[in-house]
Amino acid sequence: MAGEPQEDCLFCKIVEGHIPADVVRETETTVAFRDINPQAPTHVLVIPKVHYANAAELAAAEPQIAADVLREAQAVADEDKLDSYRIVFNTGTGAGQTVWHTHAHILGGRGMQWPPG
Ligand code: AMP
Ligand code: ZN
């Protein structure tokens, strides 16, 4: 069912505590943990505890939780004392999505290029 934990989902396993993660923040609806393969001095993933494949599906089904993810992005940036940061939601294989559970990449602590690669 939509939003329910998926047996084969890595991030559902992190939410359930079945796989360890370097958790930096947790709320009733979200978990934030450091990316295992960091692309910047701060590289944190903020995920909803509910399972949706991407940001758009989360926003359509649970807009309040989508807002919670964005609020947590700012909280992560505040904790790492970032004035500037980038939020990325890779959506689809062509954009580099590899985990099919909504996640915001919070990247900061170095200069950022535009356009992105
Ligand atoms: P994406 O490619 O946008 O789907 O992002 C998935 C991200 O999850 C990548 O940046 C991976 O480095 C990261 N990742 C994969 N496995 C883990 C893990 N066990 N703990 C933390 N981050 C992970
Ligand atoms: Zn999941």
Side-chain angles (χ1 to χ4, degrees):
M1 222 172 79
E4 295 294 314
Q6 301 293 301
E7 247 179 46
D8 56 351
C9 174
L10 177 66
F11 288 177
C12 284
K13 289 182 179 141
I14 287 176
V15 169
E16 290 164 344
H18 295 159
I19 287 181
D22 185 0
V23 173
V24 294
R25 293 184 54 84
E26 182 168 3
T27 69
E28 202 176 308
T29 57
T30 65
V31 183
F33 52 94
R34 296 205 184 272
D35 196 292
I36 206 168
N37 182 22
Q39 301 302 314
T42 291
H43 188 173
V44 170
L45 302 176
V46 180
I47 69 171
K49 289 183 174 175
V50 288
H51 178 98
Y52 289 93
N54 58 48
E57 288 189 14
L58 175 68
E62 304 259 20
Q64 183 56 55
I65 298 179
D68 293 345
V69 169
L70 294 178
R71 189 175 336 96
E72 280 301 290
Q74 180 65 54
V76 165
D78 288 345
E79 284 194 1
D80 278 12
K81 299 188 169 32
L82 301 176
D83 294 330
S84 304
Y85 60 92
R86 185 168 289 174
I87 302 176
V88 174
F89 288 97
N90 292 327
T91 303
T93 308
Q97 186 174 7
T98 59
V99 178
W100 304 92
H101 179 130
T102 313
H103 51 283
H105 295 258
I106 315 306
L107 295 149
R110 66 165 170 80
M112 296 280 160
Q113 304 297 314
W114 194 264

